[in-house]
Amino acid sequence: MDSREFFCGAREAVQRLRGYADKIEAKRQLAVIKARAEGPSARGGVTDPSRRIDELMDFEAGFERDKLQLAETVAEAETVVSGLRQIDPGGAAVIRARYINAMPWADICEACGMEYGEVRAIESAAHDLIDSEGMAAVKMGRRSVTAADWETVDRRQR
């Protein structure tokens, strides 16, 4: 998985986390409306109001399971962006705004005071940096170290 795919997954996780509160509230309201509307049926039967509550509880339980996984995805992305900030502060700011804050490009351009093409170039360069250096190195706020770099360090220490 490359940097862009990783951060797109994080952005999707952020959006899903934000949307769940609205979905839960909508399901609660719908359950109340349906329970009132269904009431005792015209044919003398009685509907089961607890069925709506059970559906809502199942949805909320599923959300709690999803929430942990989504939060881990966002936390992992936060870690990479924090490390990237030490290497490329501008790229980190754009990546954070776009993927973790889930801002649209127009808002990012306005916040940065730059044109769309400039902001996209910064984003692209940040993704290239992460992909070329490796996500593990970027998390630590370092560029990757090659075997040649280690030899240079070893010679200096002798």
Side-chain angles (χ1 to χ4, degrees):
M1 172 185 321
D2 68 5
S3 173
R4 192 173 305 274
E5 292 168 338
F6 171 76
F7 281 108
C8 283
R11 180 180 167 90
E12 182 180 317
V14 167
Q15 290 172 327
R16 286 182 60 195
L17 285 169
R18 288 180 182 172
Y20 268 120
D22 294 338
K23 285 182 183 179
I24 288 173
E25 184 57 31
K27 281 210 174 271
R28 285 181 182 155
Q29 290 177 4
L30 184 61
V32 169
I33 291 168
K34 285 185 175 182
R36 286 182 184 157
E38 288 177 353
S41 69
R43 294 186 173 185
V46 177
T47 59
D48 182 10
S50 65
R51 181 175 55 117
R52 300 281 181 222
I53 294 169
D54 290 343
E55 288 174 4
L56 180 60
M57 289 173 61
D58 289 344
F59 178 80
E60 288 176 349
F63 166 66
E64 288 303 318
R65 287 188 301 271
D66 273 354
K67 186 178 173 181
L68 292 174
Q69 184 177 358
L70 295 170
E72 285 177 15
T73 300
V74 174
E76 182 76 10
E78 281 279 2
T79 303
V80 175
V81 170
S82 293
L84 179 62
R85 187 177 6 180
Q86 296 174 20
I87 302 168
D88 178 12
V94 171
I95 296 288
R96 178 180 302 286
R98 179 64 181 165
Y99 297 100
I100 295 175
N101 297 339
M103 292 172 63
W105 287 116
D107 292 351
I108 297 170
C109 293
E110 185 178 321
C112 294
M114 295 182 197
E115 296 294 320
Y116 176 78
E118 294 172 295
V119 172
R120 289 303 303 263
I122 292 170
E123 180 225 13
S124 183
H127 284 303
D128 290 345
L129 175 74
I130 293 167
D131 289 338
S132 67
E133 299 299 331
M135 197 140 338
V138 172
K139 278 185 197 177
M140 294 185 294
R142 301 181 185 154
R143 293 187 176 269
S144 60
V145 178
T146 64
D149 294 331
W150 281 113
E151 287 179 23
T152 305
V153 170
D154 286 343
R155 279 190 221 132
R156 286 183 197 160
Q157 292 176 353
R158 291 180 200 164

